[in-house]
Amino acid sequence: MFLKKIEIQGFKSFADKKIINFDSNITGVVGPNGCGKSNIAEAIRWVLGEQSTKSLRSETMSDVIFNGSAKRKMVNIASVTLVFDNSRRSLPIDFDEVSVSRKYNRHSSVGEYFINNAPVRLKDILDLIADSGIGKDSLSMIS
């Protein structure tokens, strides 16, 4: 199993939809200071169930939503989707590709979770990844 793709929209510095594709099971994200590397790592942890706003370098959960800039208006929803290659069935679900998503709405303060676009509870995501080694505190991801 490996992370194939991340889709980010409205999360921290990613106002517009960005799709980051990965081609192998070993991935490093490199770039200059301020380009969003830490925000990518936090987006992954956020989708996988991170509840601590402090761990996300935020004061409130609404702070993970793009807050606007001198040239851009703020957005109201943060959405992140992780797409995993599951052809070896590392995750206990009968799909070759598994998407795990989280959305948060600034106005309603409501968070939503999805597995393969079907609404689920956070507990369902935690159960899905429990034995996979990819949890939010996993050593498979080094921030």
Side-chain angles (χ1 to χ4, degrees):
M1 175 185 64
F2 69 93
L3 180 61
K4 290 176 69 171
K5 177 171 55 173
I6 303 173
E7 297 177 14
I8 304 174
Q9 185 169 6
F11 185 87
K12 293 204 167 197
S13 59
F14 295 95
D16 298 320
K17 185 173 185 175
K18 300 290 182 207
I19 298 174
I20 304 167
N21 292 295
F22 301 106
D23 297 327
S24 69
N25 58 0
I26 299 176
T27 303
V29 178
V30 296
N33 289 345
C35 73
K37 299 179 304 291
S38 295
N39 290 344
I40 292 170
E42 289 176 1
I44 294 168
R45 290 184 29 239
W46 185 68
V47 171
L48 297 178
E50 182 62 69
Q51 299 297 304
S52 167
T53 55
K54 187 175 182 179
S55 294
L56 297 169
R57 298 178 300 152
S58 302
E59 290 184 28
T60 68
M61 195 55 74
S62 291
D63 292 339
V64 304
I65 304 172
F66 179 74
N67 208 23
S69 67
K71 297 180 181 183
R72 299 289 310 266
K73 289 173 42 175
M74 72 159 77
V75 299
N76 294 316
I77 296 175
S79 173
V80 178
T81 299
L82 307 178
V83 179
F84 295 98
D85 177 291
N86 193 43
S87 56
R88 294 184 181 173
R89 298 301 187 264
S90 299
L91 297 173
I93 188 170
D94 196 27
F95 291 94
D96 286 342
E97 193 172 271
V98 177
S99 69
V100 178
S101 305
R102 183 174 181 180
K103 294 180 183 180
Y104 188 81
N105 186 306
R106 178 189 312 275
H107 296 299
S108 66
S109 298
V110 171
E112 300 173 281
Y113 297 90
F114 303 86
I115 296 175
N116 289 348
N117 298 317
V120 296
R121 304 165 300 170
L122 172 57
K123 182 183 182 326
D124 298 318
I125 291 176
L126 297 176
D127 288 347
L128 176 70
I129 64 172
D131 295 326
S132 68
I134 61 166
K136 66 180 181 69
D137 296 321
S138 169
L139 294 178
S140 63
M141 186 175 83
I142 302 169
S143 298

